[in-house]
Amino acid sequence: MGKGLGSGLRARGGGAAHEKEQFLQDNNPKDLDARKCTDVFCLLIFGIFWMVLIAIWSIILNLGDERKVFYGIDYEGNVCGTETSRVNLSTSPKIWYPRIAQDVAAQPETFASGFWWDIDLYGVCVEECPKFDPESGVPGTAVKVIPDYGWGVYPDAKAPMWPVLLNTFDVANRCVPTKEKTSRSLVLCTMPICTMVHAPCSPLSGSLGIPEGAWEMTKEHPASLCGREINFAYSVDIEQPGSTEYLEWMFYALTKFGETCNAIADNWGTLLGFGVGLTLLLNFSWLVIFYCFARVAVWLSIFVMGLALALGAIFCFVKAGLIGRASLAVQAASYHNLTMSHAPGIAEWDTVSRAGQFLAPVEEDQAGAMAAAALVLLLLLLIFSILICCSCEAIEKCVLLIQMASLTLGRTSGLAIMPLFIVALQLLLLGATLFFLAVLPTVDIAGTMEERIAFSSTSEWHIWVAGAYLVTGAAWTYAFFTAVTLMTVAACVFYFYFVDKKSVPAAAYMEQYDDNQTDYPVVKHLGWVLRYHVGTLAFGSAVVTICVLIQMATSAIFTYLEKNSASNPFLKMISCCISCCLECFKRSIEFVNSYAYIYCFVENVGFCEGSLKTFNLMLKYPAQVAINTSVQRVLSTLLTLSTPLACSLVAFSYFDFLAADAPARTSEGSYLLPLAVFVIALFMTLAFAGVWEQVVQSLTVCVIHDVESFNGRFLRKEMVEAFGNPAKGGELPSSSRLYEKGTINP
């Protein structure tokens, strides 16, 4: 780079050429080929950290046994699906737990410690997960039984055979008890009684709250003979006996997880069509709306923020009893005792009752806090209104930035796809971390069930240290991938604003950028980011990781304190306050980082200098940064809520009405696939909204950098009037005068 610039300038000669050359030398973005690596020391630390992480991975793979994770181990320590010297289990890869209730009762200390996942269950390796079948029982039994291959071979065997009393399903080669629920309803007539119409009385008559003489209506005894009927509904739950609340939740969650996986496997193509294809279509449609109606979107966002503050203040005043206390109390008392059995239309009345209770004033000792909150919100609303009135110019600039950002993202469509690959890498990282964390305990897992239970009470310190290092590495690398996305977006916006010959004004385009033109800006600038700024990304992501680790440690400490102490409201209040402060601090760090990465690429500086420039930006243009950030949050929230909801509604309509198996789908299953679509669309939209927000921020930095450093030479025609150089009292950038003189030409 740089060759075309000299030849183009010297060709003209004279004073005009000298003036142009001097102007371009003083008003030119950083040459991409003249860049240098930033924060090299942090790059070295990150590299050393990863070398140690890879070494720990290797040690875990060498000393651990991943087969114990994939297949499980039985009560004697044998790995299912393998052949041992005493028992051949090569054809039995799955493990079944026949005595969960007894094992739970024998290990109360494990549940009391809170580490309920450390419980050791008596497992038997089987070929397939067994099903409850009373008709296939062996002689002398009423159900199916499975022989224990260790009976007579191992002294720890508990019984020669085990009855199958519950259905089980396969989750990672573990046979988990299925929690089954059956709902039924029965319509009975209670008046006149059965003897009066000569109908057989119901066996349930006189029990379970059903009046004596109830009878079931049939063809022989039709409903026309009945004067009062009841709908008796009941459900039957079949679940693992003797299990704790944790295990019941786990079995239920695993059951739903298995059903979800099966449903996704059967409909994965349709799910991707709704969750990915339709999501991208709707998201780009929102870009068109933001571009065409940028002014409406910005002012609507401002109105929503003001309305939220006003409604919050009114709600707090109502809860404090300062607005409508008497009317709300009367309303709450009027509907308090209404039930479905007393009057028709009670569903609507019950809704009103709940609304009245929700808006009912709080207790006297809490009314002061609510009143104070209402006054704070009212003060914020007043300040917000004053700032809006004084920031009309910043709002107009925000309109142009929203419009230009939507155009930038629309032209660089690869930016909307790139986060999907980053998210895939992050999921792969989390999966690898979970795998190594699961294999890590197998380094010391050996022996029979009794020996493993005895050992689990004295866990080795090196297991905890290695696990903490794995978690830290995952958190740091996860944040690093996020930082790569943010800086790559900033680099693409830099290309669009300063370099791209198709978008840069003809009078401002530099011939030195001819060899930087590309049809694949995302791939090319991802390469620039990884070439020069890995150290900066590692630095910024390390700061975020430290915040995350502090949050995790604080949460663990307070969880331990709350569990080992009596109910302490003060402790809970302190815990909530500290957690809230840490979350706010982390979000502030992430906000500063998102701007710092932009400066790091645009000006080729390190992370500390980029952060300093970010603080200077906030101090110099607080109104612009505040307006941009607020509007971004509102519009991103609108985008994040509307797109997944629309996709899930379309998917629900398809799966529940149009699909070939729609009639056979249960009421619960009809929500399963639309929920999967909602989750996929939500992650897609969150990534898209994050990229869009970073584009707005990057464009803001590029425009301000252009105005301050290059006299606004790269401003688009529609932006020149709004973004006059602030240092010159709103005077148009000097480049505009040079355009008029004809001094600068392409």
Side-chain angles (χ1 to χ4, degrees), residues 22-24 26-28 497-498 702-715 720 723-728 731-739 744:
Q22 187 62 39
F23 178 83
L24 296 180
D26 297 337
N27 298 270
N28 194 40
Y497 190 83
F498 290 112
C702 287
V703 170
I704 293 177
H705 183 61
D706 179 23
V707 171
E708 292 184 342
S709 302
F710 312 133
N711 292 325
R713 184 161 58 89
F714 294 88
L715 285 173
V720 169
F723 287 92
N725 193 333
K728 300 182 179 181
E731 180 184 352
L732 291 179
S734 57
S735 58
S736 300
R737 299 192 296 274
L738 290 172
Y739 293 158
I744 297 181

Side-chain angles (χ1 to χ4, degrees), residues 227-356:
R228 177 185 176 88
E229 72 175 39
I230 62 171
N231 191 340
F232 177 69
Y234 63 96
S235 63
V236 178
D237 293 345
I238 303 175
E239 55 188 27
Q240 172 65 46
S243 61
T244 64
E245 179 181 353
Y246 294 114
L247 284 180
E248 288 181 1
W249 172 84
M250 184 177 67
F251 293 153
Y252 178 78
L254 289 174
T255 301
K256 294 304 175 186
F257 176 76
E259 294 177 358
T260 303
C261 290
N262 293 333
I264 291 175
D266 295 337
N267 300 273
W268 65 270
T270 308
L271 292 177
L272 289 180
F274 287 121
V276 178
L278 183 58
T279 300
L280 286 176
L281 179 63
L282 293 178
N283 287 339
F284 277 103
S285 300
W286 274 113
L287 284 186
V288 175
I289 294 175
F290 291 160
Y291 178 78
C292 296
F293 305 100
R295 179 167 280 99
V296 176
V298 170
W299 282 104
L300 183 61
S301 301
I302 295 173
F303 172 77
V304 168
M305 288 184 286
L307 181 63
L309 288 174
L311 292 178
I314 294 174
F315 175 77
C316 290
F317 275 124
V318 170
K319 296 296 288 184
L322 301 178
I323 297 179
R325 187 184 187 101
S327 62
L328 287 173
V330 171
Q331 184 187 59
S334 300
Y335 301 114
H336 179 70
N337 294 320
L338 291 176
T339 60
M340 291 296 294
S341 60
H342 287 104
I346 192 61
E348 293 81 0
W349 294 353
D350 189 59
T351 302
V352 176
S353 173
R354 293 180 181 179

